[in-house]
Amino acid sequence: HANLGLNPMQDGQTLRIPMPDLTEERRRELAKLAGKYAENAKIAIRNVRRDGMEALKDDEKKKEISEDEARHGEEQIQQLTDKSVAEADAMLKTKEEELMTV
């Protein structure tokens, strides 16, 4: 449930969803909601990073990969993490700009 303030109504076989006016207050609420979604995405990205780093360390301990391979893998995971976090931030910024533009 996204708490968008929409109240669907059935009119015969038609489903009507009245859209509330986008007042400045409502735009701020939606921007705040977008910020929460972006933060959840970044948490998920960091969780994937953690899991990847742990898998590399386990493989290194099991001697399945060398120390150099583990270090290289960690660098790649960090680069992907940084890129993904930057993309989430950029999407949030774009959405906030869209919401606050009249």
Side-chain angles (χ1 to χ4, degrees):
H1 182 314
N3 193 20
L4 297 176
L6 302 177
N7 297 309
M9 297 180 293
Q10 190 168 359
D11 182 11
Q13 290 189 343
T14 303
L15 184 62
R16 298 191 185 279
I17 304 174
M19 302 296 288
D21 290 337
L22 281 180
T23 62
E24 185 171 343
E25 179 182 348
R26 183 70 180 140
R27 290 173 193 267
R28 289 185 194 279
E29 288 174 12
L30 290 172
K32 189 175 179 180
L33 183 61
K36 288 180 184 179
Y37 285 131
E39 186 56 36
N40 288 340
K42 291 191 286 187
I43 289 168
I45 291 164
R46 290 189 295 265
N47 288 341
V48 170
R49 176 194 177 278
R50 182 199 62 228
D51 294 346
M53 294 293 197
E54 287 175 2
L56 285 173
K57 287 178 182 162
D58 288 345
D59 289 349
E60 184 183 359
K61 284 180 187 175
K62 295 177 195 172
K63 303 290 186 198
E64 293 176 2
I65 61 173
S66 70
E67 186 179 331
D68 285 344
E69 289 171 320
R71 195 171 324 115
H72 179 70
E74 288 174 359
E75 289 171 5
Q76 287 182 314
I77 288 171
Q78 188 59 53
Q79 288 173 358
L80 286 169
T81 300
D82 293 344
K83 180 182 175 192
S84 298
V85 167
E87 288 175 0
D89 286 338
M91 285 189 266
L92 173 60
K93 184 177 184 213
T94 299
K95 184 51 64 182
E96 286 174 337
E97 288 171 357
E98 288 173 357
L99 286 167
M100 299 316 286
T101 302
V102 179

